[in-house]
Amino acid sequence: MELYNYLKSLHLIFVITWFAGLFYIVRLFVYQIEAADKPSPEKEILQKQYKIMTYRLWYIITWPSAVLASIFAFWMLLFTPMGNAWLQMPWMHVKLGFVFVLYLYHGKCHQIFKQLQNDEVKYTSNFMRLWNEGATIILFAVVFLVVLKNAVNWIYGVIGIIAFSVLIMLGFKFYKRIREKSKH
């Protein structure tokens, strides 16, 4: 049981740093995309700096965290009695489905990272802001699944975060309109 608790702690630490990397990398993508529209020399200066920042974040924090979170998860699930018990439960199957979606999300972020490193801007900054919510929804779903240990009740938490996100987006649009009116 003590080994399981150490593995669980290490898994959680690297899940947290993995998500931190995913949240921040997409924010940096927003800045990189917006920098592409700046006039010279500001554009080149910003692009160079954002490339360095994203490279370091991606390869020094985000990728290693993803790998280590996965190693400790597999170790915990496959080589401890508690992990074997969890694998029999329906909520864990749903959680592993979300983990698979998280890997897909991570892979897509890697693709966007490589494009931006090559100065290929294929998405808008607004798309990236919405894309950033994908990791948030996965995080909420997984946390509710793990805490509630129920294959269905996690839905309420995800619906809540989606509703909250919609309210924030509406508030942002409302604020933007007020700010534009005050300029005129």
Side-chain angles (χ1 to χ4, degrees):
M1 186 65 173
E2 192 169 336
L3 172 64
Y4 178 82
N5 287 330
Y6 280 107
L7 294 172
K8 184 175 172 182
S9 297
L10 290 167
H11 172 66
L12 286 171
I13 288 165
F14 290 110
V15 165
I16 290 165
T17 57
W18 184 10
F19 270 98
L22 287 173
F23 290 145
Y24 191 43
I25 197 80
V26 179
R27 177 48 69 198
L28 287 174
F29 292 164
V30 170
Y31 298 151
Q32 277 184 279
I33 291 166
E34 290 177 349
D37 294 332
K38 302 280 184 191
S40 287
E42 184 180 10
K43 171 184 175 176
E44 291 79 16
I45 293 167
L46 288 172
Q47 284 180 325
K48 181 180 177 186
Q49 185 61 40
Y50 289 137
K51 283 180 183 181
I52 292 167
M53 292 169 68
T54 55
Y55 183 89
R56 289 177 180 165
L57 174 65
W58 199 238
Y59 288 117
I60 297 172
I61 296 172
T62 312
W63 264 111
S65 295
V67 170
L68 289 168
S70 301
I71 288 170
F72 290 118
F74 293 131
W75 190 355
M76 188 171 39
L77 287 173
L78 299 176
F79 302 113
T80 66
M82 185 70 97
N84 287 322
W86 292 132
L87 284 173
Q88 306 305 315
M89 304 205 174
W91 67 267
M92 181 57 80
H93 301 157
V94 176
K95 178 195 172 198
L96 292 174
F98 276 106
V99 171
F100 178 73
V101 172
L102 181 62
Y103 283 117
L104 294 176
Y105 182 88
H106 185 106
K108 184 63 178 177
C109 285
H110 187 77
Q111 181 184 45
I112 295 167
F113 163 79
K114 289 173 88 174
Q115 290 167 351
L116 289 172
Q117 289 296 102
N118 292 321
D119 296 321
E120 296 174 32
V121 177
K122 295 186 176 184
Y123 301 96
T124 65
S125 60
N126 283 335
F127 173 84
M128 281 297 126
R129 285 182 176 90
L130 288 174
W131 179 252
N132 206 21
E133 299 306 317
T136 305
I137 291 169
I138 295 167
L139 177 63
F140 266 70
V142 169
V143 168
F144 277 105
L145 276 161
V146 171
V147 171
L148 298 174
K149 293 181 179 29
N150 184 301
V152 177
N153 286 343
W154 62 272
I155 294 171
Y156 300 120
V158 173
I159 290 171
I161 188 60
I162 291 171
F164 182 68
S165 297
V166 168
L167 286 174
I168 288 177
M169 288 188 328
L170 290 173
F172 178 75
K173 285 186 177 202
F174 181 69
Y175 172 73
K176 190 175 177 182
R177 284 186 186 158
I178 291 172
R179 206 174 71 206
E180 287 173 0
K181 285 183 182 179
S182 68
K183 285 182 182 178
H184 300 298

